[in-house]
Amino acid sequence: MAVRPQRIQDAVVERRLRPIYDWLDNGNNKKALQEAEKVLKKSPTLQAARALKALALLRLGKASESHAVLDALVEEKPSDDTTLQAMTISYRESQQLHKVCEIYEAAVKVDPSNEELYSHLFMSYVRVGDHKSQQRAAMALYKLLPKNPYFFWAVMSIVLQAKTADDSTKRGILLSLAQKLVENFITDNKMEAEQEARLYIMILELQEKWEDILKFIECPLYAQLVPASTTQACIPYYKKIGEWKKLNLLCKDLLWDNQDRWDFYMPYFDSVFQLMNKPDSDNSVDDSPEKCHEFICSIVENSSGRALRGPYLARLELWKRLAKDGDPTLLLGSGVALCVQYLRVFANKPCAVPDLKPYLSMLPQKEREDHSRDFLTCLGFDENSEPDSIKDIQRHISCLLAWRLTAPMGSAEENLNVAEMLRRHYLRSLQRGLVTSTATEFCATDSYGILAAHHFFYAAVEQENSTPIIEALNLLELVLHHSPANFHAKLLLISLYHILGNATAADSIYTKLEVKHIQLVSLGWLHAARLAPALASPRALRLLADTTTFHKHHAKDSVEQVTYAYKFGTFEKVLEVWEWGGRIESCAWCGACARERQLLALLAGPSQAPQHTVKLPFTPTDNRDLNAIVSWSSTDNDRAAYKERSFEKDVAYLRLKDGLLSAIVLCIECADNRSVEMKSSQLEQLRACIDAFGSALDRCQRLYGERENLNVTAPLPSRIIAFVTSPVPYRELYTNTLRMVCELCAGSSNAQTFAEPVRTTLVKSREHLAAYALPTLWQNRDALEFFSNYLEFIGVITYLLGVCNEHLAPAHAKRNKKKASQSPEQIQIIEILSKLNDDVQETIAILEDIFENWPKFDYQSSLEAELEKLTISKYQTPVEQKLKNGLDDVLADVKNILKNKAKYLKSLQ
């Protein structure tokens, strides 16, 4: 048996270890190591000090020395908590979580009566997802100390085994076992907490035993554990088993006491429309539209004089459901009238129009458009009204927004008139001191500027003219200046700056959003995805790196959240966190970032060989939040379908990038000094990868060749469109370049047959550059995206020429000394590669000239003249300077990148 470790609780030892902890916490690992060495000089066998020394070594980058210390400690089988915790941190930081399980397994054998060690052992199994071992550890812990949490840890472990089981029979057996364990616990009257009851319901839900769930909810034990929620807990299960009469009566009772609870109205409507198909003789049951309407009206009448949104919206919901299969006007009257009535009552609330939005779209288009001015004038306002109080401004804004959502889309001139009118409203409010925003809150007047920006955008798209966009940017910058917390203005500014192709200006706003953690994923489409096509390569690399880092570390963070869920007994969160972790793990945008980052680095980043990335999931998940920018256009009703279409294109582009990166990595692996026979399998894999890439690109050209309309509230057109519709023949350029490298690595003379087409195609591709060389400001984004795709190829071919040069380097060395030793094929391929190198350098020189002569745009705006007329305090808009500096920075970066590429290519000759 191993010698028992020293007692760490000893005050002298603890005092000696304290400086080591302090230095580690402060990040001074060198000092921590020195302190650990001092302690070990006096106490060479002190396990805690050695564990802390291992941690300091690991953080200093001395992983091998750290692991040697840890391995020695493992042999001694420590069981004191201080040592084990320090070892756990080291193993977690070195991604060796399975070793944490091993050290605690050994520790509980040394000290089998230690509750804390068993608890840590259980959590170590949680971190590696070993649900079977979790169950054993939890049951051992429960036998040691029969506490409820330990028992339910074991039950939850069984549930997780069932959730991950592939065999339905095994799944059923495990769930039945979990159910039986809990029922025995109930029989023995041991259940004590609400979460224990919820876990039992979860087990029954997974088995779809709805009647058993209802029996449990209706028993006295549930009421004791979860007081005051028995009635509403029955609602989803009455729906499952079709007890519509009970559901109807229950929801009516709940609504009398909670007249504004929308989550009670929806199941009430479900029950009414189900009972309409099989009427009941019980008069207390609402089984017809008339009874339902009467019930809603009775709630409105008995609302004690308070205007509640729930009952008013309930009438609109009834109208919407009746409109699916019949004519609701006979019972409820005009849908427009109901919407107008709702607006008239609740227009003073910012949520009024968002509440109405789903119901406005249900109205017949002609009726909606014919009565659009009813929404504008229902409170005595019109488009030219000048409200003098914040409350009246909110009402006016609500009327304007409802009008915008129902009126037909006007011409460019009409949109400009509306935008200028709304801008005047904002400036007048600013002049009269009605802009009352603070550093943390924004006010109703901001909506004048935001809605005006939308109309400026509509006009710009109609005219294909950037001038209205400039006006919108200036106005939004003014709104943000007075309302720095208004994220709606920030999001809209980012989108509009990107529409003009100015990623640097957009980045100045993006930094103010302080995007962190999951927002890197949900808002990646808005900014990070548009940096590379706008040629803002350094910024793109930083943001892509941030997102990739988040993706790599989310699993560790999710695991810790699961351990907390167990500690606090919130078992529902265990499943929720695991499922959320799965969504992030298979996130399409995170996969795109990892690949985009490596390909972009070939052009603009440090010279680092690309590496194989984690394989793409079969079905990537879409974690984008496309509702971040609120839309006020009456034509943006099918956003779900647009999201699905755009995601399909993004995934297709992701798979193209994945295939291209895989082929480049295989080229690097094949360009070593191994014999052709040794790398034959990789060469075959490379040839198959190139063929698959070419076929996929052909398919994408057939499917995604149509241009898309711009939408300020949605992602810009997918990058695959510009790639596959480009006049530059990327299929031939990429596939022939990759085949050339492949055949060169295989020692085949076919390398020459692919090198010549690359040269010819590259020279011909220059003819298309001039068409994009002098864009207008409106065309700037498309032109930059065109050149971003072209520069990406330049980055790839430059890197691959370096790979070829390195592969042929021994031959070069021999050629100088023994010219006769070179075969004619080798001499010829070296000459062809040299010519290709010259062609790439010539292409780079042409690109440098294009970017040197990139047009200077006019960014003038009429906003400052308007401010002067109203004698508003001096304000200088930053838009013009941001746009000029942003474009200059991008052009400078691109020219510097091209200069470095040219210098590198010359070094290869």
Side-chain angles (χ1 to χ4, degrees), residues 188-413:
D188 295 339
N189 199 26
K190 293 181 179 179
M191 193 173 277
E192 297 173 349
E194 176 183 342
Q195 285 299 325
E196 297 167 4
R198 293 191 183 280
L199 177 56
Y200 180 52
I201 291 174
M202 184 199 304
I203 294 166
L204 295 175
E205 281 180 343
L206 291 170
Q207 300 176 87
E208 299 184 358
K209 295 184 177 181
W210 315 121
E211 291 87 354
D212 291 348
I213 295 173
L214 282 169
K215 287 178 184 176
F216 177 64
I217 290 174
E218 291 166 354
C219 76
L221 176 61
Y222 184 85
Q224 177 186 340
L225 296 174
V226 193
S229 67
T230 300
T231 50
Q232 61 195 67
C234 295
I235 290 175
Y237 308 110
Y238 282 150
K239 289 176 68 175
K240 292 287 187 182
I241 63 176
E243 285 283 359
W244 302 110
K245 180 179 177 180
K246 288 184 178 179
L247 179 62
N248 187 271
L249 294 171
L250 174 61
C251 289
K252 286 178 69 176
D253 288 340
L254 289 170
L255 284 169
W256 274 119
D257 297 327
N258 306 272
Q259 298 174 354
D260 214 24
R261 285 284 297 270
W262 191 244
D263 55 333
F264 294 157
Y265 279 103
M266 298 307 282
Y268 168 72
F269 283 121
D270 292 338
S271 67
V272 170
F273 279 80
Q274 289 291 333
L275 291 169
M276 283 168 57
N277 301 323
K278 42 183 179 181
D280 196 282
S281 58
D282 188 348
N283 289 329
S284 62
V285 175
D286 292 349
D287 55 3
S288 68
E290 291 77 14
K291 289 183 179 179
C292 179
H293 184 229
E294 183 180 348
F295 174 69
I296 294 169
C297 292
S298 64
I299 290 179
V300 175
E301 291 168 1
N302 289 277
S303 58
S304 304
R306 294 182 302 135
L308 300 174
R309 291 156 56 214
Y312 283 87
L313 283 173
R315 289 195 295 175
L316 287 166
E317 181 66 25
L318 178 60
W319 200 99
K320 179 181 178 180
R321 296 196 182 206
L322 289 173
K324 289 182 179 178
D325 300 313
D327 183 9
T329 57
L330 298 175
L331 175 64
L332 297 165
S334 165
V336 170
L338 288 174
C339 291
V340 169
Q341 182 186 13
Y342 182 86
L343 185 64
R344 189 178 288 119
V345 177
F346 298 105
N348 62 318
K349 297 180 182 293
C351 59
V353 179
D355 283 347
L356 272 181
K357 204 172 181 181
Y359 301 105
L360 293 173
S361 60
M362 76 182 176
L363 302 173
Q365 183 177 351
K366 187 175 187 310
E367 182 183 3
R368 184 173 68 231
E369 292 178 355
D370 289 346
H371 295 276
S372 60
R373 286 198 66 84
D374 292 351
F375 292 95
L376 181 61
T377 60
C378 64
L379 291 174
F381 297 118
D382 62 21
E383 60 267 39
N384 296 312
S385 298
E386 297 184 355
D388 291 323
S389 68
I390 296 298
K391 289 185 179 180
D392 284 344
I393 286 175
Q394 181 59 65
R395 294 187 183 97
H396 189 212
I397 285 291
S398 295
C399 293
L400 285 167
L401 293 176
W403 170 56
R404 176 60 268 161
L405 287 170
T406 53
M409 183 59 72
S411 64
E413 185 179 352

Side-chain angles (χ1 to χ4, degrees), residues 745-804:
C745 295
S748 170
S749 58
N750 288 338
Q752 303 170 32
T753 62
F754 292 113
E756 281 295 344
V758 174
R759 288 189 61 210
T760 305
T761 311
L762 180 62
V763 172
K764 285 185 178 179
S765 71
R766 299 174 193 164
E767 300 170 3
H768 304 293
L769 302 182
Y772 293 85
L774 294 170
T776 64
L777 183 54
W778 180 254
Q779 299 166 337
N780 189 54
R781 180 184 58 83
D782 288 336
L784 291 177
E785 188 163 4
F786 168 83
F787 282 109
S788 74
N789 289 326
Y790 197 79
L791 285 171
E792 183 171 75
F793 172 73
I794 295 297
V796 169
I797 194 171
T798 301
Y799 185 82
L800 291 178
L801 282 171
V803 171
C804 295

Side-chain angles (χ1 to χ4, degrees), residues 295-556:
F295 174 69
I296 294 169
C297 292
S298 64
I299 290 179
V300 175
E301 291 168 1
N302 289 277
S303 58
S304 304
R306 294 182 302 135
L308 300 174
R309 291 156 56 214
Y312 283 87
L313 283 173
R315 289 195 295 175
L316 287 166
E317 181 66 25
L318 178 60
W319 200 99
K320 179 181 178 180
R321 296 196 182 206
L322 289 173
K324 289 182 179 178
D325 300 313
D327 183 9
T329 57
L330 298 175
L331 175 64
L332 297 165
S334 165
V336 170
L338 288 174
C339 291
V340 169
Q341 182 186 13
Y342 182 86
L343 185 64
R344 189 178 288 119
V345 177
F346 298 105
N348 62 318
K349 297 180 182 293
C351 59
V353 179
D355 283 347
L356 272 181
K357 204 172 181 181
Y359 301 105
L360 293 173
S361 60
M362 76 182 176
L363 302 173
Q365 183 177 351
K366 187 175 187 310
E367 182 183 3
R368 184 173 68 231
E369 292 178 355
D370 289 346
H371 295 276
S372 60
R373 286 198 66 84
D374 292 351
F375 292 95
L376 181 61
T377 60
C378 64
L379 291 174
F381 297 118
D382 62 21
E383 60 267 39
N384 296 312
S385 298
E386 297 184 355
D388 291 323
S389 68
I390 296 298
K391 289 185 179 180
D392 284 344
I393 286 175
Q394 181 59 65
R395 294 187 183 97
H396 189 212
I397 285 291
S398 295
C399 293
L400 285 167
L401 293 176
W403 170 56
R404 176 60 268 161
L405 287 170
T406 53
M409 183 59 72
S411 64
E413 185 179 352
E414 290 170 336
N415 282 320
L416 278 176
N417 290 336
V418 172
E420 288 168 0
M421 174 266 295
L422 289 165
R423 182 171 68 175
R424 286 195 299 272
H425 282 315
Y426 180 78
L427 295 179
R428 179 190 59 84
S429 300
L430 188 61
Q431 181 190 32
R432 298 186 182 182
L434 296 173
V435 177
T436 58
S437 306
T438 66
T440 57
E441 296 179 352
F442 47 89
C443 66
T445 50
D446 296 350
S447 297
Y448 284 132
I450 291 169
L451 189 56
H454 280 270
H455 281 81
F456 277 126
F457 169 77
Y458 304 146
V461 172
E462 194 74 21
Q463 296 176 340
E464 296 190 352
N465 182 5
S466 61
T467 302
I469 300 287
I470 301 296
E471 299 292 352
L473 289 169
N474 280 279
L475 180 56
L476 287 170
E477 287 280 9
L478 178 63
V479 171
L480 194 60
H481 176 73
H482 291 282
S483 185
N486 195 319
F487 60 87
H488 293 296
K490 294 175 187 176
L491 294 169
L492 202 53
L493 274 166
I494 293 170
S495 184
L496 290 173
Y497 276 126
H498 277 301
I499 284 169
L500 295 184
N502 203 303
T504 308
D507 195 61
S508 69
I509 304 298
Y510 181 81
T511 54
K512 295 179 181 179
L513 281 174
E514 298 181 351
V515 169
K516 296 174 184 174
H517 307 302
I518 193 58
Q519 288 181 313
L520 290 168
V521 175
S522 62
L523 290 179
W525 63 271
L526 178 66
H527 182 60
R530 302 311 308 176
L531 290 171
L535 293 180
S537 302
R539 286 177 172 81
L541 286 169
R542 285 198 295 271
L543 257 185
L544 294 173
D546 289 345
T547 308
T548 304
T549 301
F550 166 76
H551 188 227
K552 285 180 179 178
H553 289 88
H554 89 277
K556 182 175 70 174

